Amino acid sequence: MLLIFTHKVTNRLTYTTKQIFEKILGVEIGFTTKVEDFIKHTGPKMTYSKQPLQNEFFIRSNDLLFEQGINDLEINVSDWDGVPCFFAAGEKSTLPFDIFSASFFLLSRYEEYLPHVKDSVGRFPVKESIAYQHKFLQTPVVDLWAFKLLTALKARFPKLESKEKDYQFTSIINVTTSHAFAMRGIARTLGGLFVDIGNFKFRNIVRRFAVLFGIQKDPYDNFFELVEIHKKFPIKSMFFFQFAKHSAHDKNVSTNNNKFRFLIKSIADYSIVSLSTSFMSSSNNKVLREEKRQLGNLINRPISYSRLRYNRVNVPAAYRSLVETEFTDDFSMGYTHQIGFRAGTCTPFHFYDINTEIRQPIKIHPFAMHDYSLVNFKTKEEVFERLDEVYRVVKQVKGDLIFVFSNELLGSDQNLDWMELYQSILKRYYV
């Protein structure tokens, strides 16, 4: 066991160190505030405080993990052997920065509590993030910091034991519009037809009639094709279906449509199925609870996983809502239009509510890429050039590489053959 001496054990410190040592590195830790216990300990040990006791492994602490609430912080990004870092610790510190405070800042989404202007659908803008501004968004710095810390500790304590975890790849299919033309009902079909006529979208008009008359399959209806692709690779795949009432932001097929209900039940025979929450439910727990209940009743399984509409994670309200409605895991932590790690990590972590200073029970699974971040790439080679960099570093730190795809984009006309690209991505990154 690694013993950590500190002047005060706080919820923030416990949360952060357990994530780094136990979840990322597989190292058992303990804490003490008593000098005599620290001196007597014969195994690996380190000090996390303002001053070292003697000549031990020492990380000089910032004040962040011993404060409460939100305060103005000065962030100056520097370099640690090629990895960006912040909260400089001074010359006496074994590490040049406070790894625990920096990790807490990213994992807790501290910057999202600070004043900022939200985007058109109420999200924290990627350009407001320190990771985007300092060009380390595509690097899971928390994991890299952790492994560099482990290397330094093992140099001092060669017998320090760590349990290595395995790299994992997960493909998520997000279904907020299951069909472009089919199953839409008379009123919505006519409405869509008039919109296409008004916008001179004659190709859509032809396609709409071809689908309605059974001449061709709906372009978004690629579910069983995806199931067959997933059978080729030993990957974890998940389908998140929106199961909600129609609204301005939620335009999926009616939950009363029997064909739609049968589709979801059929997919649940082959893959994990869970809830893609509606925009409306983000501000109404009663609606969220009902969506969860109805989908669970349909597939005869408890619904524990969530994906928030538009990846609209507003901290801490969004996660409090998910906890109150008894979700255990969420897969919304990422940016829709930018590749990268919103929380600076590729390892699942529990949400820390800064307003209450409590670690919440919901586990957050950060995704690295949403397919809408790839729409401006013109060739498959460009896509792989960018994704290969992400894959290499996630594999290096034995993290979780999670990609989010939508059946809409996989069934749409773009520069790339999306279904072929999707298969190539799975083949390239699943191991």
Side-chain angles (χ1 to χ4, degrees):
M1 183 189 74
L2 174 71
L3 184 65
I4 302 174
F5 171 82
T6 184
H7 58 282
K8 184 180 180 183
V9 179
T10 66
N11 285 352
R12 291 185 179 189
L13 176 60
T14 303
Y15 165 79
T16 309
T17 51
K18 286 193 171 183
Q19 178 64 23
I20 288 174
F21 285 112
E22 295 180 0
K23 304 301 182 185
I24 297 178
L25 299 177
V27 173
E28 185 185 351
I29 59 170
F31 297 93
T32 185
T33 56
K34 296 180 180 179
V35 175
E36 57 271 27
D37 289 345
F38 182 76
I39 292 172
K40 282 192 297 185
H41 184 71
T42 56
K45 54 188 177 180
M46 63 175 285
T47 298
Y48 179 69
S49 195
K50 288 295 182 184
Q51 294 293 334
L53 299 176
Q54 296 174 324
N55 191 33
E56 73 277 14
F57 195 102
F58 167 64
I59 297 177
R60 188 177 189 277
S61 63
N62 186 280
D63 293 329
L64 181 60
L65 300 192
F66 305 100
E67 298 174 341
Q68 290 193 339
I70 301 295
N71 297 294
D72 286 332
L73 301 173
E74 185 177 347
I75 306 290
N76 295 307
V77 176
S78 55
D79 182 87
W80 181 30
D81 296 335
V83 182
C85 63
F86 49 99
F87 294 139
E91 292 182 4
K92 290 183 180 180
S93 181
T94 307
L95 301 190
F97 75 112
D98 181 348
I99 181 176
F100 304 126
S101 288
S103 297
F104 177 79
F105 180 87
L106 293 173
L107 293 171
S108 69
R109 304 310 302 128
Y110 197 100
E111 61 190 351
E112 298 192 31
Y113 287 84
L114 299 170
H116 60 271
V117 177
K118 297 187 183 300
D119 71 7
S120 59
V121 292
R123 296 174 296 197
F124 177 77
V126 61
K127 292 183 180 179
E128 294 272 343
S129 72
I130 181 178
Y132 179 88
Q133 293 169 1
H134 291 275
K135 296 180 172 55
F136 64 86
L137 181 63
Q138 294 177 28
T139 306
V141 289
V142 173
D143 303 83
L144 287 174
W145 294 337
F147 276 90
K148 287 171 70 66
L149 169 61
L150 181 64
T151 299
L153 282 167
K154 284 191 171 181
R156 182 75 66 95
F157 309 107
K159 294 184 179 180
L160 177 66
E161 294 182 359
S162 59
K163 187 177 180 181
E164 195 172 90
K165 57 192 176 76
D166 295 323
Y167 162 80
Q168 291 193 37
F169 177 81
T170 302
S171 172
I172 288 174
I173 306 297
N174 195 52
V175 187
T176 55
T177 307
S178 65
H179 294 77
F181 308 120
M183 304 187 194
R184 311 302 288 182
I186 295 173
R188 291 172 67 183
T189 296
L190 289 174
L193 180 61
F194 290 134
V195 168
D196 286 343
I197 293 170
N199 291 325
F200 303 105
K201 292 185 176 179
F202 299 114
R203 192 174 181 183
N204 266 9
I205 295 169
V206 173
R207 278 186 170 183
R208 187 183 298 275
F209 281 110
V211 170
L212 293 176
F213 287 109
I215 298 169
Q216 69 178 49
K217 192 175 70 168
D218 191 285
Y220 294 175
D221 183 6
N222 43 35
F223 303 103
F224 290 102
E225 187 177 349
L226 291 168
V227 166
E228 290 304 313
I229 291 172
H230 295 162
K231 288 178 181 178
K232 297 179 183 178
F233 307 100
I235 65 164
K236 181 179 179 181
S237 63
M238 309 170 74
F239 285 78
F240 286 79
F241 282 90
Q242 187 181 92
F243 204 67
K245 291 182 179 178
H246 184 265
S247 73
H249 291 280
D250 308 310
K251 299 180 179 180
N252 205 357
V253 172
S254 169
T255 57
N256 295 319
N257 186 294
N258 286 330
K259 289 182 179 179
F260 179 51
R261 296 171 69 89
F262 181 75
L263 167 68
I264 295 174
K265 290 177 74 172
S266 299
I267 295 300
D269 290 336
Y270 299 99
S271 181
I272 295 170
V273 164
S274 207
L275 184 67
S276 184
T277 70
S278 68
F279 190 87
M280 189 181 297
S281 69
S282 64
S283 56
N284 190 322
N285 274 12
K286 185 178 179 181
V287 172
L288 179 59
R289 195 179 297 276
E290 185 62 13
E291 291 175 11
K292 181 175 184 282
R293 185 190 69 81
Q294 288 192 7
L295 184 59
N297 287 345
L298 177 65
I299 64 173
N300 293 314
R301 288 172 211 160
I303 300 296
S304 302
Y305 304 159
S306 64
R307 268 193 48 75
L308 300 174
R309 184 70 164 126
Y310 301 127
N311 301 308
R312 192 168 176 257
V313 178
N314 287 325
V315 294
Y319 287 127
R320 285 182 182 173
S321 178
L322 293 176
V323 169
E324 287 170 17
T325 46
E326 300 179 318
F327 285 93
T328 61
D329 298 72
D330 180 68
F331 293 79
S332 313
M333 181 57 71
Y335 295 112
T336 305
H337 301 289
Q338 288 284 342
I339 298 168
F341 302 93
R342 182 169 173 176
T345 185
C346 57
T347 301
F349 61 98
H350 283 87
F351 174 64
Y352 189 93
D353 189 331
I354 293 179
N355 288 349
T356 61
E357 297 294 350
I358 292 174
R359 190 203 82 158
Q360 295 287 1
I362 191 162
K363 184 182 284 188
I364 301 169
H365 300 258
F367 67 83
M369 185 277 291
H370 198 298
D371 56 3
Y372 283 99
S373 66
L374 305 179
V375 293
N376 292 324
F377 290 100
K378 292 181 174 59
T379 66
K380 193 165 78 169
E381 288 69 32
E382 286 182 62
V383 170
F384 285 132
E385 184 179 352
R386 185 65 59 84
L387 295 184
D388 280 353
E389 296 173 13
V390 175
Y391 166 72
R392 275 195 295 268
V393 70
V394 174
K395 191 81 183 288
Q396 176 187 336
V397 297
K398 310 291 185 181
D400 289 19
L401 184 60
I402 300 175
F403 287 169
V404 180
F405 298 86
S406 59
N407 66 301
E408 298 171 57
L409 200 52
L410 289 170
S412 65
D413 289 328
Q414 298 285 335
N415 295 326
L416 302 168
D417 181 336
W418 278 93
M419 289 301 284
E420 193 275 329
L421 175 64
Y422 179 69
Q423 268 197 93
S424 298
I425 285 174
L426 298 194
K427 185 176 181 180
R428 197 175 183 105
Y429 301 129
Y430 81 94
V431 290

